Amino acid sequence: MKDNPFLRGATLRLVISLENYNGQKFVVPIPATSTVEDLHAEAVRRAAQLNVHCTTTGTVLRSTGHGGAIFFGEDLLMDILDMTNDGTFLLDAFASPHIPPSITSGTVSSLSASTISTVLSSSVSFASETMKIYHIYIRWVTPERALGSSRLSRIDVDTLPIRSDTSLSSFQKLAFDRLYAGQSTNPDTTVELFLAGNYLSCNDAVSLSDLQLKGSRKHPLHVFVLLIRNRTCMKVHDVWGFETSDRGVATFVTCLKVLLNEISSKRTALENMLEIIWSVTQFPPAVIAFRELYIIGVNRIKPLPLTVFATCFRELSLLMVPR
């Protein structure tokens, strides 16, 4: 939209849709000279009054419809208003695919779904020192286990529960020991941990109780585990938790780019592809990673999302090879 001097002192009345939350809509009056960031912050504030609790870091504003475009915070509303449908913006969880709620059965968390690269830091303000220590039963879900089971509920629950005051750093080390101790892994190999919609950052200052995570024998906490190498990333596959060749990586990345181009060209829908990935892998981080790969692009993506998807692709390929 070209600069319109008559809009500079005007007030826009824009509609925010909570279609992917509770289905409601509300209006936000805002100066025409505001940015998308200003609208985003006000939308999140008003959404909380409708019992939709989210954050600006865990959500985006996008145009309505399938695969709607994401609006960046620095853009002026006047510049992108003609990209919307009658001034309607969709408040959407960033990289949050449709995943059955049974995945997080047993999890009690007030944290909103966020991108796979979001770090949960010590800024989470829960009074953990006043909380009673309890035990959490875990179902460790690796890509191999998820692909090898018809349902996540058929994966065995760890018989040894975890104390709720365990820090995320200790939790990460414990996960590696319980899943990979005694196996022939490289010295620099570690694990990354995820919930269905969150990346659990290695942090000494945050405990499981700080995040209000719970899990019983009947309804264990699903923790998704990815084997990864903790070293400087000179090549795209340096941090992958398995050995591969440059030629193999080139083939994988080329096929991935072709698939993403099919979505960009509208020959298939992103939502359909996400549903297929979920149905096949049962590994939520892979679904989130693929969406992030589509939004950001393979060449500009951070190593972790590509590592997640490559690992799941490898495990699936191994299952397809006749034995």
Side-chain angles (χ1 to χ4, degrees):
M1 177 181 293
K2 294 182 179 180
D3 185 23
N4 188 336
F6 295 103
L7 282 178
R8 292 175 185 169
T11 297
L12 301 175
R13 292 169 178 82
L14 305 177
V15 177
I16 303 297
S17 172
L18 302 177
E19 177 182 332
N20 294 335
Y21 290 95
N22 59 13
Q24 296 185 5
K25 296 181 180 180
F26 58 89
V27 175
V28 177
I30 192 167
T33 54
S34 302
T35 63
V36 173
E37 183 179 10
D38 298 328
L39 176 63
H40 193 183
E42 182 61 16
V44 167
R45 188 187 71 81
R46 296 193 180 202
Q49 299 179 41
L50 299 175
N51 293 321
V52 174
H53 300 284
C54 53
T55 65
T56 54
T57 57
T59 57
V60 293
L61 286 179
R62 63 170 75 243
S63 58
T64 55
H66 290 297
I70 294 177
F71 299 119
F72 285 86
E74 63 265 25
D75 295 330
L76 292 173
L77 292 175
M78 291 188 297
D79 292 335
I80 54 89
L81 198 56
D82 57 351
M83 300 291 293
T84 66
N85 182 16
D86 296 328
T88 299
F89 293 77
L90 179 66
L91 183 64
D92 195 14
F94 186 60
S96 176
H98 172 73
I99 297 174
S102 59
I103 289 181
T104 52
S105 177
T107 301
V108 179
S109 175
S110 62
L111 296 173
S112 61
S114 58
T115 71
I116 207 168
S117 57
T118 297
V119 177
L120 302 179
S121 67
S122 56
S123 60
V124 179
S125 57
F126 294 113
S128 58
E129 64 275 5
T130 63
M131 297 179 66
K132 181 180 178 181
I133 295 176
Y134 52 91
H135 288 90
I136 304 172
Y137 283 86
I138 307 293
R139 175 175 282 129
W140 305 106
V141 184
T142 64
E144 181 181 9
R145 289 183 177 183
L147 285 163
S149 303
S150 58
R151 296 179 181 178
L152 293 181
S153 59
R154 295 188 177 180
I155 298 175
D156 291 337
V157 179
D158 195 335
T159 57
L160 298 176
I162 312 296
R163 284 171 54 102
S164 60
D165 59 348
T166 302
S167 70
L168 292 184
S169 296
S170 299
F171 189 50
Q172 181 190 45
K173 296 175 183 177
L174 187 149
F176 181 84
D177 291 340
R178 293 197 179 181
L179 292 173
Y180 300 104
Q183 297 187 22
S184 56
T185 58
N186 292 305
D188 54 1
T189 302
T190 182
V191 293
E192 297 286 4
L193 305 180
F194 309 86
L195 302 182
N198 296 98
Y199 165 47
L200 295 179
S201 172
C202 180
N203 196 318
D204 286 322
V206 179
S207 69
L208 300 179
S209 60
D210 288 334
L211 303 182
Q212 296 185 323
L213 300 179
K214 297 180 182 179
S216 63
R217 283 190 177 93
K218 186 176 181 181
H219 299 292
L221 175 66
H222 289 80
V223 177
F224 300 89
V225 186
L226 180 76
L227 197 64
I228 194 170
R229 302 186 71 176
N230 184 21
R231 60 179 182 176
T232 303
C233 184
M234 302 299 293
K235 296 181 180 180
V236 67
H237 56 285
D238 282 347
V239 296
W240 294 5
F242 56 91
E243 296 296 335
T244 186
S245 65
D246 291 346
R247 179 176 296 180
V249 174
T251 302
F252 166 72
V253 171
T254 300
C255 293
L256 179 59
K257 288 182 177 180
V258 171
L259 181 57
L260 294 174
N261 185 65
E262 289 294 300
I263 300 173
S264 301
S265 302
K266 306 299 181 183
R267 286 188 284 267
T268 187
L270 175 62
E271 288 76 12
N272 294 341
M273 186 58 63
L274 295 178
E275 290 288 348
I276 292 172
I277 293 172
W278 161 243
S279 298
V280 173
T281 67
Q282 301 187 92
F283 200 72
V287 184
I288 300 173
F290 186 84
R291 184 172 180 180
E292 194 165 323
L293 284 164
Y294 172 72
I295 293 173
I296 300 177
V298 176
N299 294 333
R300 295 188 294 116
I301 199 74
K302 292 183 179 180
L304 185 55
L306 189 60
T307 303
V308 172
F309 195 73
T311 302
C312 289
F313 185 84
R314 173 181 181 268
E315 293 298 337
L316 180 60
S317 300
L318 290 174
L319 289 175
M320 297 173 65
V321 176
R323 297 185 179 182

